[in-house]
PDB file of all heavy atoms in Angstrom:
ATOM      1  N   LYS B 506     -41.284  98.429  -3.534  1.00  0.00           N
ATOM      2  CA  LYS B 506     -39.892  98.502  -2.994  1.00  0.00           C
ATOM      3  C   LYS B 506     -39.608  97.545  -1.806  1.00  0.00           C
ATOM      4  O   LYS B 506     -38.488  97.423  -1.319  1.00  0.00           O
ATOM      5  CB  LYS B 506     -39.380  99.935  -2.674  1.00  0.00           C
ATOM      6  CG  LYS B 506     -40.041 100.591  -1.518  1.00  0.00           C
ATOM      7  CD  LYS B 506     -39.426 101.955  -1.191  1.00  0.00           C
ATOM      8  CE  LYS B 506     -40.122 102.831  -0.207  1.00  0.00           C
ATOM      9  NZ  LYS B 506     -40.541 102.274   0.950  1.00  0.00           N
ATOM     10  N   THR B 507     -40.703  96.995  -1.206  1.00  0.00           N
ATOM     11  CA  THR B 507     -40.445  96.021  -0.054  1.00  0.00           C
ATOM     12  C   THR B 507     -40.872  94.636  -0.400  1.00  0.00           C
ATOM     13  O   THR B 507     -41.948  94.474  -0.965  1.00  0.00           O
ATOM     14  CB  THR B 507     -41.237  96.531   1.095  1.00  0.00           C
ATOM     15  OG1 THR B 507     -40.940  97.967   1.378  1.00  0.00           O
ATOM     16  CG2 THR B 507     -41.062  95.775   2.349  1.00  0.00           C
ATOM     17  N   ILE B 508     -40.102  93.681  -0.047  1.00  0.00           N
ATOM     18  CA  ILE B 508     -40.582  92.206  -0.054  1.00  0.00           C
ATOM     19  C   ILE B 508     -41.019  91.911   1.306  1.00  0.00           C
ATOM     20  O   ILE B 508     -40.324  92.132   2.258  1.00  0.00           O
ATOM     21  CB  ILE B 508     -39.329  91.357  -0.568  1.00  0.00           C
ATOM     22  CG1 ILE B 508     -39.064  91.673  -2.005  1.00  0.00           C
ATOM     23  CG2 ILE B 508     -39.577  89.822  -0.358  1.00  0.00           C
ATOM     24  CD1 ILE B 508     -37.902  90.778  -2.599  1.00  0.00           C
ATOM     25  N   GLY B 509     -42.082  91.133   1.322  1.00  0.00           N
ATOM     26  CA  GLY B 509     -42.668  90.603   2.584  1.00  0.00           C
ATOM     27  C   GLY B 509     -42.343  89.127   2.733  1.00  0.00           C
ATOM     28  O   GLY B 509     -42.578  88.410   1.793  1.00  0.00           O
ATOM     29  N   ILE B 510     -41.940  88.761   3.924  1.00  0.00           N
ATOM     30  CA  ILE B 510     -41.594  87.332   4.135  1.00  0.00           C
ATOM     31  C   ILE B 510     -42.370  86.888   5.442  1.00  0.00           C
ATOM     32  O   ILE B 510     -42.241  87.460   6.501  1.00  0.00           O
ATOM     33  CB  ILE B 510     -40.088  87.107   4.466  1.00  0.00           C
ATOM     34  CG1 ILE B 510     -39.294  87.560   3.323  1.00  0.00           C
ATOM     35  CG2 ILE B 510     -39.899  85.604   4.763  1.00  0.00           C
ATOM     36  CD1 ILE B 510     -37.780  87.478   3.520  1.00  0.00           C
ATOM     37  N   GLY B 511     -43.350  85.766   5.308  1.00  0.00           N
ATOM     38  CA  GLY B 511     -44.010  85.308   6.356  1.00  0.00           C
ATOM     39  C   GLY B 511     -43.481  83.841   6.644  1.00  0.00           C
ATOM     40  O   GLY B 511     -43.195  83.149   5.662  1.00  0.00           O
ATOM     41  N   VAL B 512     -43.167  83.614   7.933  1.00  0.00           N
ATOM     42  CA  VAL B 512     -42.477  82.331   8.184  1.00  0.00           C
ATOM     43  C   VAL B 512     -43.046  81.784   9.509  1.00  0.00           C
ATOM     44  O   VAL B 512     -43.481  82.580  10.381  1.00  0.00           O
ATOM     45  CB  VAL B 512     -41.072  82.533   8.253  1.00  0.00           C
ATOM     46  CG1 VAL B 512     -40.511  83.542   9.365  1.00  0.00           C
ATOM     47  CG2 VAL B 512     -40.183  81.212   8.460  1.00  0.00           C
ATOM     48  N   PHE B 513     -43.057  80.417   9.756  1.00  0.00           N
ATOM     49  CA  PHE B 513     -43.407  79.885  11.048  1.00  0.00           C
ATOM     50  C   PHE B 513     -42.395  80.128  12.090  1.00  0.00           C
ATOM     51  O   PHE B 513     -41.264  80.433  11.789  1.00  0.00           O
ATOM     52  CB  PHE B 513     -43.781  78.389  10.803  1.00  0.00           C
ATOM     53  CG  PHE B 513     -42.585  77.589  10.421  1.00  0.00           C
ATOM     54  CD1 PHE B 513     -41.791  76.961  11.366  1.00  0.00           C
ATOM     55  CD2 PHE B 513     -42.243  77.465   9.041  1.00  0.00           C
ATOM     56  CE1 PHE B 513     -40.724  76.224  10.912  1.00  0.00           C
ATOM     57  CE2 PHE B 513     -41.183  76.620   8.694  1.00  0.00           C
ATOM     58  CZ  PHE B 513     -40.403  76.009   9.569  1.00  0.00           C
ATOM     59  N   GLY B 514     -42.889  80.176  13.275  1.00  0.00           N
ATOM     60  CA  GLY B 514     -41.963  80.311  14.483  1.00  0.00           C
ATOM     61  C   GLY B 514     -41.880  81.777  14.933  1.00  0.00           C
ATOM     62  O   GLY B 514     -42.815  82.447  14.794  1.00  0.00           O
ATOM     63  N   HIS B 515     -40.723  82.021  15.520  1.00  0.00           N
ATOM     64  CA  HIS B 515     -40.493  83.374  16.199  1.00  0.00           C
ATOM     65  C   HIS B 515     -39.665  84.357  15.342  1.00  0.00           C
ATOM     66  O   HIS B 515     -38.589  83.876  14.822  1.00  0.00           O
ATOM     67  CB  HIS B 515     -39.904  83.154  17.603  1.00  0.00           C
ATOM     68  CG  HIS B 515     -39.563  84.375  18.260  1.00  0.00           C
ATOM     69  ND1 HIS B 515     -38.564  84.598  19.232  1.00  0.00           N
ATOM     70  CD2 HIS B 515     -40.256  85.513  18.281  1.00  0.00           C
ATOM     71  CE1 HIS B 515     -38.624  85.744  19.678  1.00  0.00           C
ATOM     72  NE2 HIS B 515     -39.597  86.450  19.207  1.00  0.00           N
ATOM     73  N   VAL B 516     -40.200  85.505  15.075  1.00  0.00           N
ATOM     74  CA  VAL B 516     -39.514  86.482  14.243  1.00  0.00           C
ATOM     75  C   VAL B 516     -39.284  87.736  15.057  1.00  0.00           C
ATOM     76  O   VAL B 516     -40.120  88.216  15.754  1.00  0.00           O
ATOM     77  CB  VAL B 516     -40.417  86.854  13.020  1.00  0.00           C
ATOM     78  CG1 VAL B 516     -39.867  88.002  12.293  1.00  0.00           C
ATOM     79  CG2 VAL B 516     -40.629  85.569  12.108  1.00  0.00           C
ATOM     80  N   ASP B 517     -38.063  88.276  14.858  1.00  0.00           N
ATOM     81  CA  ASP B 517     -37.697  89.597  15.483  1.00  0.00           C
ATOM     82  C   ASP B 517     -38.109  90.532  14.361  1.00  0.00           C
ATOM     83  O   ASP B 517     -37.359  90.724  13.420  1.00  0.00           O
ATOM     84  CB  ASP B 517     -36.163  89.651  15.759  1.00  0.00           C
ATOM     85  CG  ASP B 517     -35.830  91.168  16.185  1.00  0.00           C
ATOM     86  OD1 ASP B 517     -36.503  92.012  15.940  1.00  0.00           O
ATOM     87  OD2 ASP B 517     -34.782  91.258  16.959  1.00  0.00           O
ATOM     88  N   PHE B 518     -39.299  91.167  14.521  1.00  0.00           N
ATOM     89  CA  PHE B 518     -40.014  91.940  13.440  1.00  0.00           C
ATOM     90  C   PHE B 518     -38.998  93.253  13.260  1.00  0.00           C
ATOM     91  O   PHE B 518     -38.806  93.829  12.174  1.00  0.00           O
ATOM     92  CB  PHE B 518     -41.249  92.400  13.911  1.00  0.00           C
ATOM     93  CG  PHE B 518     -41.939  93.450  12.918  1.00  0.00           C
ATOM     94  CD1 PHE B 518     -42.389  93.096  11.779  1.00  0.00           C
ATOM     95  CD2 PHE B 518     -42.029  94.677  13.297  1.00  0.00           C
ATOM     96  CE1 PHE B 518     -43.004  94.006  10.849  1.00  0.00           C
ATOM     97  CE2 PHE B 518     -42.667  95.654  12.490  1.00  0.00           C
ATOM     98  CZ  PHE B 518     -43.080  95.294  11.236  1.00  0.00           C
ATOM     99  N   GLU B 519     -38.518  93.835  14.333  1.00  0.00           N
ATOM    100  CA  GLU B 519     -37.780  95.029  14.328  1.00  0.00           C
ATOM    101  C   GLU B 519     -36.571  95.032  13.389  1.00  0.00           C
ATOM    102  O   GLU B 519     -36.257  95.696  12.658  1.00  0.00           O
ATOM    103  CB  GLU B 519     -37.355  95.493  15.646  1.00  0.00           C
ATOM    104  CG  GLU B 519     -37.046  96.947  15.805  1.00  0.00           C
ATOM    105  CD  GLU B 519     -36.519  97.223  17.230  1.00  0.00           C
ATOM    106  OE1 GLU B 519     -36.929  96.517  18.199  1.00  0.00           O
ATOM    107  OE2 GLU B 519     -35.726  98.163  17.379  1.00  0.00           O
ATOM    108  N   HIS B 520     -35.832  93.762  13.600  1.00  0.00           N
ATOM    109  CA  HIS B 520     -34.605  93.606  12.914  1.00  0.00           C
ATOM    110  C   HIS B 520     -34.764  92.803  11.635  1.00  0.00           C
ATOM    111  O   HIS B 520     -33.763  92.618  10.924  1.00  0.00           O
ATOM    112  CB  HIS B 520     -33.576  93.019  13.809  1.00  0.00           C
ATOM    113  CG  HIS B 520     -33.225  93.945  14.955  1.00  0.00           C
ATOM    114  ND1 HIS B 520     -33.743  93.738  16.238  1.00  0.00           N
ATOM    115  CD2 HIS B 520     -32.547  95.104  14.951  1.00  0.00           C
ATOM    116  CE1 HIS B 520     -33.262  94.642  17.023  1.00  0.00           C
ATOM    117  NE2 HIS B 520     -32.595  95.535  16.294  1.00  0.00           N
ATOM    118  N   GLY B 521     -36.013  92.182  11.351  1.00  0.00           N
ATOM    119  CA  GLY B 521     -36.050  91.375  10.165  1.00  0.00           C
ATOM    120  C   GLY B 521     -35.283  90.066  10.220  1.00  0.00           C
ATOM    121  O   GLY B 521     -34.809  89.592   9.279  1.00  0.00           O
ATOM    122  N   GLU B 522     -35.437  89.449  11.551  1.00  0.00           N
ATOM    123  CA  GLU B 522     -34.678  88.215  11.575  1.00  0.00           C
ATOM    124  C   GLU B 522     -35.563  87.098  12.118  1.00  0.00           C
ATOM    125  O   GLU B 522     -36.458  87.236  12.968  1.00  0.00           O
ATOM    126  CB  GLU B 522     -33.546  88.407  12.695  1.00  0.00           C
ATOM    127  CG  GLU B 522     -32.518  89.318  12.235  1.00  0.00           C
ATOM    128  CD  GLU B 522     -31.530  89.812  13.455  1.00  0.00           C
ATOM    129  OE1 GLU B 522     -31.884  89.559  14.632  1.00  0.00           O
ATOM    130  OE2 GLU B 522     -30.464  90.348  13.172  1.00  0.00           O
ATOM    131  N   TRP B 523     -35.330  85.908  11.543  1.00  0.00           N
ATOM    132  CA  TRP B 523     -36.078  84.638  11.949  1.00  0.00           C
ATOM    133  C   TRP B 523     -35.327  84.043  13.121  1.00  0.00           C
ATOM    134  O   TRP B 523     -34.168  83.551  12.863  1.00  0.00           O
ATOM    135  CB  TRP B 523     -36.213  83.675  10.681  1.00  0.00           C
ATOM    136  CG  TRP B 523     -37.048  82.508  10.902  1.00  0.00           C
ATOM    137  CD1 TRP B 523     -37.969  82.237  11.964  1.00  0.00           C
ATOM    138  CD2 TRP B 523     -36.958  81.261  10.253  1.00  0.00           C
ATOM    139  NE1 TRP B 523     -38.583  81.053  11.749  1.00  0.00           N
ATOM    140  CE2 TRP B 523     -37.957  80.388  10.826  1.00  0.00           C
ATOM    141  CE3 TRP B 523     -36.198  80.910   9.183  1.00  0.00           C
ATOM    142  CZ2 TRP B 523     -38.211  79.145  10.244  1.00  0.00           C
ATOM    143  CZ3 TRP B 523     -36.423  79.597   8.606  1.00  0.00           C
ATOM    144  CH2 TRP B 523     -37.337  78.710   9.178  1.00  0.00           C
ATOM    145  N   MET B 524     -35.884  84.052  14.238  1.00  0.00           N
ATOM    146  CA  MET B 524     -35.217  83.634  15.450  1.00  0.00           C
ATOM    147  C   MET B 524     -35.248  82.060  15.709  1.00  0.00           C
ATOM    148  O   MET B 524     -34.433  81.605  16.443  1.00  0.00           O
ATOM    149  CB  MET B 524     -35.786  84.319  16.750  1.00  0.00           C
ATOM    150  CG  MET B 524     -35.861  85.725  16.681  1.00  0.00           C
ATOM    151  SD  MET B 524     -34.311  86.576  16.370  1.00  0.00           S
ATOM    152  CE  MET B 524     -33.624  86.409  17.972  1.00  0.00           C
ATOM    153  N   GLY B 525     -36.119  81.440  14.958  1.00  0.00           N
ATOM    154  CA  GLY B 525     -36.266  79.912  15.164  1.00  0.00           C
ATOM    155  C   GLY B 525     -37.613  79.563  15.296  1.00  0.00           C
ATOM    156  O   GLY B 525     -38.593  80.287  15.267  1.00  0.00           O
ATOM    157  N   SER B 526     -37.736  78.152  15.606  1.00  0.00           N
ATOM    158  CA  SER B 526     -39.031  77.526  15.763  1.00  0.00           C
ATOM    159  C   SER B 526     -38.925  76.369  16.604  1.00  0.00           C
ATOM    160  O   SER B 526     -37.714  75.760  16.660  1.00  0.00           O
ATOM    161  CB  SER B 526     -39.510  77.206  14.400  1.00  0.00           C
ATOM    162  OG  SER B 526     -40.430  76.099  14.443  1.00  0.00           O
ATOM    163  N   MET B 527     -39.982  75.858  17.335  1.00  0.00           N
ATOM    164  CA  MET B 527     -39.874  74.758  18.142  1.00  0.00           C
ATOM    165  C   MET B 527     -39.553  73.509  17.253  1.00  0.00           C
ATOM    166  O   MET B 527     -39.118  72.393  17.599  1.00  0.00           O
ATOM    167  CB  MET B 527     -41.178  74.592  18.935  1.00  0.00           C
ATOM    168  CG  MET B 527     -41.097  75.390  20.247  1.00  0.00           C
ATOM    169  SD  MET B 527     -42.521  74.910  21.398  1.00  0.00           S
ATOM    170  CE  MET B 527     -43.663  76.018  20.767  1.00  0.00           C
ATOM    171  N   ARG B 528     -39.939  73.663  15.970  1.00  0.00           N
ATOM    172  CA  ARG B 528     -39.611  72.545  14.937  1.00  0.00           C
ATOM    173  C   ARG B 528     -38.192  72.434  14.587  1.00  0.00           C
ATOM    174  O   ARG B 528     -37.804  71.511  14.025  1.00  0.00           O
ATOM    175  CB  ARG B 528     -40.419  72.765  13.669  1.00  0.00           C
ATOM    176  CG  ARG B 528     -41.871  72.545  13.868  1.00  0.00           C
ATOM    177  CD  ARG B 528     -42.682  72.619  12.498  1.00  0.00           C
ATOM    178  NE  ARG B 528     -43.830  73.402  12.760  1.00  0.00           N
ATOM    179  CZ  ARG B 528     -44.699  73.733  11.748  1.00  0.00           C
ATOM    180  NH1 ARG B 528     -44.412  73.442  10.481  1.00  0.00           N
ATOM    181  NH2 ARG B 528     -45.707  74.476  11.886  1.00  0.00           N
ATOM    182  N   LEU B 529     -37.503  73.438  14.853  1.00  0.00           N
ATOM    183  CA  LEU B 529     -36.013  73.582  14.400  1.00  0.00           C
ATOM    184  C   LEU B 529     -35.211  73.960  15.689  1.00  0.00           C
ATOM    185  O   LEU B 529     -34.565  75.047  15.669  1.00  0.00           O
ATOM    186  CB  LEU B 529     -35.857  74.601  13.258  1.00  0.00           C
ATOM    187  CG  LEU B 529     -36.688  74.323  12.101  1.00  0.00           C
ATOM    188  CD1 LEU B 529     -36.741  75.520  11.167  1.00  0.00           C
ATOM    189  CD2 LEU B 529     -36.095  73.257  11.267  1.00  0.00           C
ATOM    190  N   PRO B 530     -35.094  73.112  16.641  1.00  0.00           N
ATOM    191  CA  PRO B 530     -34.444  73.466  17.921  1.00  0.00           C
ATOM    192  C   PRO B 530     -32.997  73.748  17.705  1.00  0.00           C
ATOM    193  O   PRO B 530     -32.308  73.087  16.958  1.00  0.00           O
ATOM    194  CB  PRO B 530     -34.663  72.182  18.710  1.00  0.00           C
ATOM    195  CG  PRO B 530     -35.005  71.085  17.863  1.00  0.00           C
ATOM    196  CD  PRO B 530     -35.693  71.607  16.691  1.00  0.00           C
ATOM    197  N   GLY B 531     -32.592  74.786  18.314  1.00  0.00           N
ATOM    198  CA  GLY B 531     -31.196  75.227  18.272  1.00  0.00           C
ATOM    199  C   GLY B 531     -30.667  75.913  17.014  1.00  0.00           C
ATOM    200  O   GLY B 531     -29.606  76.154  16.972  1.00  0.00           O
ATOM    201  N   MET B 532     -31.598  76.235  16.180  1.00  0.00           N
ATOM    202  CA  MET B 532     -31.094  76.857  14.904  1.00  0.00           C
ATOM    203  C   MET B 532     -30.526  78.229  15.157  1.00  0.00           C
ATOM    204  O   MET B 532     -31.137  78.940  16.045  1.00  0.00           O
ATOM    205  CB  MET B 532     -32.174  76.753  13.840  1.00  0.00           C
ATOM    206  CG  MET B 532     -33.307  77.969  14.039  1.00  0.00           C
ATOM    207  SD  MET B 532     -34.487  78.016  12.578  1.00  0.00           S
ATOM    208  CE  MET B 532     -34.105  79.674  11.949  1.00  0.00           C
ATOM    209  N   ASP B 533     -29.614  78.648  14.433  1.00  0.00           N
ATOM    210  CA  ASP B 533     -29.167  80.030  14.475  1.00  0.00           C
ATOM    211  C   ASP B 533     -30.117  80.883  13.777  1.00  0.00           C
ATOM    212  O   ASP B 533     -30.787  80.461  12.855  1.00  0.00           O
ATOM    213  CB  ASP B 533     -27.732  80.240  13.827  1.00  0.00           C
ATOM    214  CG  ASP B 533     -26.607  79.725  14.648  1.00  0.00           C
ATOM    215  OD1 ASP B 533     -26.828  79.753  15.952  1.00  0.00           O
ATOM    216  OD2 ASP B 533     -25.605  79.397  14.134  1.00  0.00           O
ATOM    217  N   LYS B 534     -30.170  82.145  14.226  1.00  0.00           N
ATOM    218  CA  LYS B 534     -31.331  83.040  13.596  1.00  0.00           C
ATOM    219  C   LYS B 534     -30.821  83.349  12.120  1.00  0.00           C
ATOM    220  O   LYS B 534     -29.624  83.295  11.790  1.00  0.00           O
ATOM    221  CB  LYS B 534     -31.442  84.336  14.296  1.00  0.00           C
ATOM    222  CG  LYS B 534     -30.171  85.291  14.416  1.00  0.00           C
ATOM    223  CD  LYS B 534     -30.489  86.471  15.349  1.00  0.00           C
ATOM    224  CE  LYS B 534     -29.342  87.336  15.590  1.00  0.00           C
ATOM    225  NZ  LYS B 534     -29.602  88.383  16.569  1.00  0.00           N
ATOM    226  N   VAL B 535     -31.823  83.473  11.344  1.00  0.00           N
ATOM    227  CA  VAL B 535     -31.568  83.816   9.881  1.00  0.00           C
ATOM    228  C   VAL B 535     -31.802  85.308   9.732  1.00  0.00           C
ATOM    229  O   VAL B 535     -32.922  85.802  10.013  1.00  0.00           O
ATOM    230  CB  VAL B 535     -32.580  83.044   8.972  1.00  0.00           C
ATOM    231  CG1 VAL B 535     -32.293  83.325   7.465  1.00  0.00           C
ATOM    232  CG2 VAL B 535     -32.424  81.512   9.225  1.00  0.00           C
ATOM    233  N   ARG B 536     -30.825  86.116   9.293  1.00  0.00           N
ATOM    234  CA  ARG B 536     -30.883  87.531   9.101  1.00  0.00           C
ATOM    235  C   ARG B 536     -31.337  87.894   7.707  1.00  0.00           C
ATOM    236  O   ARG B 536     -30.628  88.370   6.915  1.00  0.00           O
ATOM    237  CB  ARG B 536     -29.554  88.171   9.377  1.00  0.00           C
ATOM    238  CG  ARG B 536     -28.988  88.012  10.772  1.00  0.00           C
ATOM    239  CD  ARG B 536     -27.644  88.654  10.975  1.00  0.00           C
ATOM    240  NE  ARG B 536     -27.263  88.638  12.275  1.00  0.00           N
ATOM    241  CZ  ARG B 536     -26.570  87.753  12.927  1.00  0.00           C
ATOM    242  NH1 ARG B 536     -26.303  86.547  12.294  1.00  0.00           N
ATOM    243  NH2 ARG B 536     -26.207  87.791  14.173  1.00  0.00           N
ATOM    244  N   PHE B 537     -32.790  87.766   7.480  1.00  0.00           N
ATOM    245  CA  PHE B 537     -33.421  87.973   6.336  1.00  0.00           C
ATOM    246  C   PHE B 537     -33.028  89.360   5.874  1.00  0.00           C
ATOM    247  O   PHE B 537     -32.556  89.667   4.601  1.00  0.00           O
ATOM    248  CB  PHE B 537     -34.816  87.756   6.208  1.00  0.00           C
ATOM    249  CG  PHE B 537     -35.220  86.230   6.185  1.00  0.00           C
ATOM    250  CD1 PHE B 537     -36.039  85.849   7.164  1.00  0.00           C
ATOM    251  CD2 PHE B 537     -34.766  85.465   5.150  1.00  0.00           C
ATOM    252  CE1 PHE B 537     -36.429  84.479   7.179  1.00  0.00           C
ATOM    253  CE2 PHE B 537     -35.111  84.156   5.218  1.00  0.00           C
ATOM    254  CZ  PHE B 537     -35.973  83.698   6.221  1.00  0.00           C
ATOM    255  N   ARG B 538     -33.248  90.391   6.633  1.00  0.00           N
ATOM    256  CA  ARG B 538     -33.060  91.821   6.165  1.00  0.00           C
ATOM    257  C   ARG B 538     -31.600  92.065   5.744  1.00  0.00           C
ATOM    258  O   ARG B 538     -31.219  92.620   4.694  1.00  0.00           O
ATOM    259  CB  ARG B 538     -33.474  92.792   7.190  1.00  0.00           C
ATOM    260  CG  ARG B 538     -33.433  94.279   6.648  1.00  0.00           C
ATOM    261  CD  ARG B 538     -34.113  95.198   7.667  1.00  0.00           C
ATOM    262  NE  ARG B 538     -35.501  94.918   7.689  1.00  0.00           N
ATOM    263  CZ  ARG B 538     -36.229  95.122   8.831  1.00  0.00           C
ATOM    264  NH1 ARG B 538     -35.687  95.625   9.919  1.00  0.00           N
ATOM    265  NH2 ARG B 538     -37.552  94.811   8.864  1.00  0.00           N
TER     266      ARG B 538
END
Side-chain angles (χ1 to χ4, degrees):
Chain B
K506 70 177 173 35
T507 305
I508 289 181
I510 304 177
V512 62
F513 59 96
H515 180 210
V516 171
D517 180 333
F518 174 76
E519 197 187 335
H520 298 103
E522 294 172 345
W523 185 21
M524 305 303 286
S526 156
M527 277 190 269
R528 288 185 223 176
L529 301 165
M532 77 174 245
D533 282 336
K534 63 184 176 186
V535 180
R536 296 183 170 83
F537 283 124
R538 183 170 300 145

